């Protein structure tokens, strides 16, 4: 982004601290672009900043507590503190009243004018916090009618900082517009937001109420941003949203993601595209085939199972069963036997019985997942589940959580051991103090483990020559829990611009 009409004083510095999921990271980079365009110096280091903006997470209780602690720690630096993001959107005035250390609590609706909001904070002007509302009600009920809405959708770009610049006008074709995003790190991996919001009504989830109804970004916008990201050195794109399998339903094309994947994989400089946040009930055979067989697309299935007992799933307002989920995984592995799969599960949901837990154990034992996240159920404000009968005692929830967590660790380690001797394609993420670490196709950033590359005995790839962004073919020689150890055999694609 180029700076346009800066209104901030020279040297004014803002730190953006991002908590929670990869979707928040994309939102922060949009805020960074808006602030930079208005003359702010943008950083991720709170030391010496005039303002610290904490992009909070409001998903579960632990995430909310982490957000509060980060806001309090930022206030201790002496900088002015602003709360943004999901927790700020979800609680608004209530958060502002309970957290006087924050000079402002912002809504998503403040994002297009973020520079003006921070100018006011620095000037000491009071900013009234918003009263939260159900953001699903801001958009038409019919998905295809949502395209013309003026509702702010974080991470979608939106109104440009300088409407007088035709290169930033939303009416200009996407490939001719500047991308409203400024990267906050220099790593070879970046998230690309497919859509915002969710139309599902899972009983345990509050996200749709504060993120709003589902809205896809258009393919031309996504391709333009992918090309821009590749130009900054990105080699792997991670496609994120609240529900990626719904992509395109509001564009009139339920197969839009299947068509988009090969187009993204063909972007010059991109060596891997990874889809995430897949809903099992919406994962169609054509999408399974596209993910498992398209060159340049990771054969990786991030499936939101949440449980496998049909009874519990119905109470969660979800669909599926142990056998249906196993069939879905089998269909992917029939196309690529090495395909990776991960999921999250909730234990202790209201009404869950010992038989339900046994059914979950059966599924996990047969599913051969590469990574498993386990959450202990807790009531969330404004969710249907909070009012359900049949609450499981806290001690029982903890006991089940401990049992399933231990089983998950054991099973994921066993799955990693199954990959001994296999050939994997590893994207190098970091090289530090002689340690080269990256990820195979079945390992997503930050959540699924990693692969450490070690020097070969004979030929192969010179370990000392590897750089972040290199894609190498390697043989798995050892495991450490879910992590792999592998010897690089061949350079597939070297990161551009690195001296060798």
């Amino acid at each position: 982004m180029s700076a346009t009409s800066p209104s901030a004083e020279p040297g004014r510095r803002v730190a953006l601290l991002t908590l929670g999921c990869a979707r928040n990271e994309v939102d922060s980079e949009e805020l960074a672009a808006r602030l930079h365009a208005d003359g702010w110096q943008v950083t991720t280091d709170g030391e010496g900043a005039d303002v610290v903006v904490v992009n909070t997470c409001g998903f579960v209780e632990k995430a909310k507590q982490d957000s509060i602690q980060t806001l309090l720690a930022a206030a201790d630096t002496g900088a002015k503190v602003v709360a943004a993001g999901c927790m700020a959107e979800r609680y608004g005035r209530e958060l502002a009243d309970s957290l006087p250390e924050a000079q402002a609590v912002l809504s998503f609706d403040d994002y297009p004018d973020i520079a003006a909001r921070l100018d006011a904070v620095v000037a000491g002007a009071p900013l009234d916090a918003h009263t939260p509302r159900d953001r699903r009600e801001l958009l038409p009920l019919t998905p295809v009618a949502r395209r013309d809405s003026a509702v702010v959708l974080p991470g979608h770009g939106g109104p440009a900082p300088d409407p007088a610049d035709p290169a930033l006008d939303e009416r200009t074709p996407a490939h001719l517009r500047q991308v409203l995003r400024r990267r906050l790190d220099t790593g070879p991996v970046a998230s690309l937001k497919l859509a915002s919001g969710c139309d599902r009504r899972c009983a345990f989830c509050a996200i749709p109420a504060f993120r709003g109804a589902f809205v896809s970004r258009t393919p031309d916008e996504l391709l333009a941003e992918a090309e821009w990201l590749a130009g900054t050195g990105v080699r792997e794109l991670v496609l994120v949203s609240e529900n990626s399998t719904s992509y395109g339903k509001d564009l009139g094309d339920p197969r839009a993601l299947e068509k988009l994947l090969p187009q993204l994989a063909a972007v010059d400089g991109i060596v891997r595209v990874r889809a995430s946040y897949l809903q099992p009930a919406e994962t169609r055979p054509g999408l399974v085939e596209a993910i498992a067989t398209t060159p340049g697309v990771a054969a990786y299935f991030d499936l939101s199972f949440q449980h496998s007992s049909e009874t519990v799933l119905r109470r969660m307002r979800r669909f599926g069963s142990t056998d249906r989920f196993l069939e879905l995984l089998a269909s992917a592995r029939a196309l690529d036997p090495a395909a990776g799969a991960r999921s999250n599960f909730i234990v202790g949901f209201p009404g869950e019985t010992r038989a339900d837990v046994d059914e979950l154990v059966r599924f996990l034992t047969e599913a051969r997942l590469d990574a498993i996240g386990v959450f202990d159920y807790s009531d969330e404000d404004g969710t249907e589940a909070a009012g359900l009968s049949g609450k499981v005692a806290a001690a029982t929830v903890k006991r089940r959580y401990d049992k399933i967590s231990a089983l998950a660790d054991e099973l994921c380690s066993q799955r990693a051991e199954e990959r001994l001797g296999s050939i994997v394609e590893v994207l190098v993420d970091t090289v530090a103090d002689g340690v080269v670490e990256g990820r195979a196709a079945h390992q997503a950033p930050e959540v699924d483990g990693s692969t450490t590359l070690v020097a070969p005995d004979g030929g192969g790839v010179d370990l000392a020559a590897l750089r972040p962004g290199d894609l190498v073919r390697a043989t798995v020689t050892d495991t450490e829990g879910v992590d792999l150890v592998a010897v690089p055999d061949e350079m597939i694609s070297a990161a551009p611009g690195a001296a060798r």
Side-chain angles (χ1 to χ4, degrees), residues 138 313 485:
L138 303 180
L313 288 166
V485 178

Side-chain angles (χ1 to χ4, degrees), residues 137-197:
E137 298 174 357
L138 303 180
L139 288 163
L141 186 62
T142 305
V144 294
R146 297 171 187 165
R147 299 303 311 167
D148 297 327
S149 173
V151 173
V152 174
L153 302 169
H156 285 229
D162 184 5
D165 186 344
L168 298 175
D169 193 318
E170 287 186 312
R171 293 167 297 181
T172 305
H175 70 283
L176 298 178
R177 299 198 302 262
Q178 290 186 2
V179 172
L180 192 60
R181 182 169 179 177
R182 182 176 179 82
R183 293 199 69 199
L184 294 173
D185 66 59
T186 58
V189 183
S191 296
L192 181 63
K193 182 176 277 193
L194 290 174
S196 287

Side-chain angles (χ1 to χ4, degrees), residues 23 194 198 200 202 214 238-247 254 257-258 261 273-292 297-306 318-319 325 328-329 331-332 339-344:
R23 302 184 294 271
L194 290 174
C198 185
R200 300 184 71 87
C202 301
F214 185 87
V238 181
L239 309 184
V240 300
S241 68
E242 275 75 29
N243 177 7
S244 296
T245 39
S246 281
Y247 178 71
L257 184 55
E258 299 163 37
L261 287 170
V273 177
R274 182 184 304 277
S276 61
Y277 301 101
L278 306 176
Q279 286 289 342
E282 298 178 27
T283 304
R284 303 167 301 279
L287 180 58
V288 172
E289 182 177 1
I291 292 173
V297 175
Y300 171 83
F301 293 85
D302 174 19
L303 292 157
S304 177
F305 290 129
Q306 303 299 345
R318 296 176 66 86
F319 303 94
F325 291 164
L328 176 57
L329 291 169
S331 70
R342 81 170 320 273
S343 191
N344 295 322

Side-chain angles (χ1 to χ4, degrees), residues 120-143:
V121 166
V122 171
L127 291 177
D128 291 334
H130 62 285
T131 299
R133 53 185 172 173
D134 189 333
R135 294 189 71 86
R136 290 171 294 191
E137 298 174 357
L138 303 180
L139 288 163
L141 186 62
T142 305

